[in-house]
């Protein structure tokens, strides 16, 4: 749901609570030992990197002081010392970033699989309504990747900032108490101003930007999926209008985001540039009076920059943080929907040897509209049932209830086990892949050998597909290569490969001629398959 201020309801929970809802399972689940061990190793690398950075800063100051004093021995000793430090600092730096990225990649793999499990479990992908969750594909593909990468990035820069704060504050305190006091006041003022002026507007705009971009991309994907139908209709002008609307909404939000970002950029640039001047102004009197060496002033400036970077973490990363929080909102909202208990099924389901409906009433999902009322029937094993009637009278709705896709209503459905039931829709689903994978779908393996599979292709008059180069392992975009009738025959071949006890056909031969239709139905009857068909053509009866 969306609240009056344009943010999702999930956004009104604590930001930390939303983050932990999404992130916590990885750290307490089956990967917890690996996750905590590698994270501890990364933190050790960060500690080493911070200590080496302090040593490099010290040597930079020593080099500058040696040059200012024109002391050659001191200068070359500092050079040798710095080279030793660099010999350790460079590989530690590289290993740290490698470990960080590998950790983020493993986290993404685990979290994506978790969301896929929830999305595909109990056919949630089918039941999800658009008003519950928009663009689940983008949330799983893009938002999870962004979340894991940025979560680890921000977690580590927070830890790194704390380490820098401790390590360099000691250096800074030793050189100038005044500079430390000014630094604390300067950083606090900058953080409060950035949160107050730019916080909520940027988070809200980034949330809507993610949604608008996903809507635009989804519409483009729909054009690609339905290219042939659009081309036959000549619907380019209508499609352009729909795409233009989504692009306009995306660019309008982008314009608002750019304006908000302009103000943030002004603030960030002014804040960072002034910080370059502050150490010199504060330390000028001590250097000019001789109480501090030039090298010590350089050292203090380096420590000031490191400590300021640590305490002004929010200011420096505000734009990325606002996008990150918007992405958390979307993943948190999806997690809540996927983990919610499915609505109670009004239709009772049981397994049996034959199809038996008892007082079945079917309602359309999310409404009180009754499509089928108190229907009772029994189809014996090897029997057949033809469902016919005017368009919109509820024929497909009855099949959805039998298949378990629609559960709202009452009564009981008894049917063979799910693995012994096969459904053929009017428009077959064909993947881009091998011919073999089309025949085996939704299974991945079959006890049938290649000869048996080719024989089945013979039965549906599609043997020529296997005779071409590549045979059963030939890869094509079958939905575009095959005609509507060939697609329906290939779907029939898939049915013959699985040899179910019960076959449910929803206008599955609408694109076939009568002779092909009769031969395929007779083939199923000869196997003793129980048939339930929706059809309008008299020949099916």
């Amino acid at each position: 749901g969306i609240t009056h201020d344009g943010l999702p309801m999930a956004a009104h929970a604590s930001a930390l609570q939303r983050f932990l809802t999404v992130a916590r399972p990885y750290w307490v689940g089956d990967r917890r030992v690996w996750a905590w061990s590698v994270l501890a190793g990364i933190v050790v690398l960060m500690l080493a990197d911070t200590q080496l950075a302090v040593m490099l800063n010290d040597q930079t100051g020593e080099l500058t002081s040696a040059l200012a004093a024109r002391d050659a021995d001191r200068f070359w000793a500092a050079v040798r010392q710095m080279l030793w430090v660099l010999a350790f600092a460079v590989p530690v730096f590289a290993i740290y970033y490698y470990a960080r990225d590998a950790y983020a990649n493993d986290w993404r793999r685990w979290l994506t699989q978790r969301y896929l499990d929830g999305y595909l479990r109990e056919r949630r992908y089918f039941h999800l309504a658009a008003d519950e969750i928009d663009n689940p594909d983008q949330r799983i593909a893009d938002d999870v990747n962004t979340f894991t990468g940025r979560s680890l990035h921000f977690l580590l820069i927070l830890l790194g900032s704390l380490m820098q704060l401790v390590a360099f504050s000691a250096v800074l305190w030793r050189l100038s108490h005044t500079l430390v006091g000014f630094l604390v006041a300067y950083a606090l003022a900058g953080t409060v101003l950035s949160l107050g002026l730019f916080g909520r507007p940027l988070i809200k705009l980034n949330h809507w930007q993610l949604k608008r971009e996903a809507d635009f991309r989804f519409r483009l994907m729909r054009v690609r999926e339905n290219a042939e139908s659009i081309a036959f209709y000549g619907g380019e002008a209508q499609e352009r209008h729909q795409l233009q609307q989504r692009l306009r909404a995306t660019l309008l939000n982008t314009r608002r985001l750019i304006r908000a970002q302009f103000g943030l950029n002004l603030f960030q640039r002014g804040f960072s540039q002034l910080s370059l001047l502050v150490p010199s102004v504060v330390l000028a009197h001590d250097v000019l009076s001789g109480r501090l060496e030039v090298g010590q002033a350089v050292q203090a400036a380096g420590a000031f920059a490191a400590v300021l970077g640590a305490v002004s973490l929010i200011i420096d990363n505000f734009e990325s943080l606002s996008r990150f929080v918007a992405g958390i909102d979307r993943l948190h909202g999806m997690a809540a929907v996927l983990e919610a208990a499915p609505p109670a099924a009004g239709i009772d389901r049981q397994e049996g040897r034959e199809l038996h409906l008892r007082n079945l009433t079917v309602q359309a999902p999310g409404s009180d509209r009754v499509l089928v009322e108190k229907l009772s029937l029994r189809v014996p094993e090897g029997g057949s049932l033809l469902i016919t009637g005017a368009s919109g009278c509820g024929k497909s709705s009855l099949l959805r209830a039998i298949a378990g896709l629609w559960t709202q209503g009452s009564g009981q459905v008894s049917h063979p086990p799910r693995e012994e039931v096969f459904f053929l829709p009017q428009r077959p689903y064909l993947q881009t892949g091998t011919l073999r994978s089309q025949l085996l779908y939704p299974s991945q393996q079959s006890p049938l050998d290649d000869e048996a599979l080719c024989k089945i292709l013979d039965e549906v008059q599609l043997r020529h597909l296997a005779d071409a180069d590549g045979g059963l392992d030939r890869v094509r975009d079958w939905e575009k290569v095959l005609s509507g009738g060939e697609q329906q025959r290939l779907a029939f071949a898939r049915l013959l490969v699985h040899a179910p006890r019960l076959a449910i056909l929803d206008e599955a031969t609408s694109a076939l001629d009568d002779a092909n239709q009769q031969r395929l139905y007779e083939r199923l009857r000869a196997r003793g398959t129980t048939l339930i068909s929706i059809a309008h053509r008299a020949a099916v009866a």
Side-chain angles (χ1 to χ4, degrees), residues 101-164:
D101 294 343
Y103 187 88
N105 191 52
D106 184 77
W107 191 3
R108 180 199 178 184
R109 178 195 59 78
W110 189 92
L111 190 59
T112 301
Q113 289 179 347
R114 176 179 170 83
Y115 273 92
L116 285 175
D117 289 343
Y119 188 53
L120 299 175
R121 175 175 49 89
E122 298 176 346
R123 297 167 171 164
R124 296 305 292 269
Y125 62 92
F126 177 80
H127 296 290
L128 276 179
D131 58 349
E132 284 185 285
I133 205 82
D134 65 85
N135 302 296
D137 51 311
Q138 188 211 33
R139 298 182 191 227
I140 294 173
D142 294 342
D143 291 348
V144 167
N145 186 29
T146 302
F147 173 80
T148 53
R150 287 186 178 162
S151 290
L152 194 58
H153 172 70
F154 288 129
L155 173 64
L156 293 179
I157 63 172
L158 175 61
L159 290 174
S161 295
L162 290 174
M163 294 174 191
Q164 275 188 230

Side-chain angles (χ1 to χ4, degrees), residues 196-250:
L197 294 174
F198 309 107
R200 194 170 184 81
L202 267 176
I203 292 173
K204 183 170 73 171
L205 286 170
N206 275 297
H207 169 83
W208 283 111
Q209 188 67 19
L210 290 171
K211 184 181 186 307
R212 300 291 187 232
E213 296 281 3
D215 288 344
F216 180 54
R217 186 170 61 234
F218 179 72
R219 189 69 201 184
L220 285 169
M221 185 175 67
R222 291 283 294 166
V223 172
R224 185 183 63 191
E225 287 179 345
N226 299 279
E228 184 176 328
S229 298
I230 294 169
F232 273 127
Y233 276 116
E236 295 82 7
Q238 177 65 258
E239 294 303 320
R240 177 58 185 263
H241 175 69
Q242 295 281 349
L243 288 168
Q244 197 67 34
Q245 281 187 317
R246 284 158 179 77
L247 178 61
R248 190 180 300 115
T250 302

Side-chain angles (χ1 to χ4, degrees), residues 220-454:
L220 285 169
M221 185 175 67
R222 291 283 294 166
V223 172
R224 185 183 63 191
E225 287 179 345
N226 299 279
E228 184 176 328
S229 298
I230 294 169
F232 273 127
Y233 276 116
E236 295 82 7
Q238 177 65 258
E239 294 303 320
R240 177 58 185 263
H241 175 69
Q242 295 281 349
L243 288 168
Q244 197 67 34
Q245 281 187 317
R246 284 158 179 77
L247 178 61
R248 190 180 300 115
T250 302
L251 296 179
L252 178 62
N253 196 78
T254 304
R255 197 177 301 126
R256 293 170 180 161
L257 197 56
I258 290 171
R259 284 199 295 265
Q261 186 63 42
F262 174 73
L264 178 61
N265 288 340
L266 282 176
F267 180 80
Q268 285 178 323
R269 190 67 173 174
F271 184 85
S272 62
Q273 293 298 312
L274 280 174
S275 67
L276 299 176
L277 185 63
V278 168
S280 300
V281 172
V282 174
L283 297 176
H285 178 71
D286 290 338
V287 174
L288 294 173
S289 65
R291 281 198 291 270
L292 273 181
E293 291 183 335
V294 175
Q296 289 178 307
V298 171
Q299 188 179 347
F304 180 88
V307 176
L308 181 63
V311 296
S312 58
L313 179 67
I314 293 176
I315 300 170
D316 294 339
N317 295 278
F318 201 86
E319 180 190 0
S320 296
L321 278 168
S322 63
R323 288 199 302 267
F324 176 57
V325 172
I328 292 176
D329 291 340
R330 291 169 60 77
L331 287 178
H332 180 263
M334 187 168 185
V337 170
L338 294 182
E339 292 172 9
I347 299 173
D348 179 42
R349 311 188 63 79
Q350 294 184 359
E351 288 189 2
R353 293 195 58 82
E354 59 186 22
L355 179 67
H356 196 174
L357 311 183
R358 300 178 181 87
N359 294 318
L360 178 64
T361 296
V362 180
Q363 291 176 276
S367 76
D368 296 327
R369 182 187 172 204
V370 175
L371 302 168
V372 178
E373 187 171 13
K374 294 185 178 178
L375 173 64
S376 295
L377 61 87
R378 184 177 67 86
V379 183
E381 283 190 83
S384 59
L385 170 69
L386 175 64
I387 303 171
T388 187
S391 178
C393 69
K395 302 186 297 299
S396 295
S397 302
L398 176 59
L399 291 196
R400 292 185 186 109
I402 292 172
L405 301 182
W406 285 9
T407 60
Q408 196 167 324
S410 60
Q412 186 182 83
V413 176
S414 178
H415 57 77
R418 184 172 175 179
E419 61 271 15
E420 297 182 16
V421 178
F422 207 88
F423 180 79
L424 282 190
Q426 182 176 7
R427 183 181 177 184
Y429 170 63
L430 301 178
Q431 295 177 309
T432 299
T434 65
L435 179 59
R436 187 192 309 277
S437 70
Q438 311 311 309
L439 290 169
L440 301 187
Y441 189 85
S443 304
Q444 294 178 307
Q445 295 179 335
S446 171
L448 301 180
D449 58 19
D450 287 5
E451 185 179 348
L453 293 176
C454 289

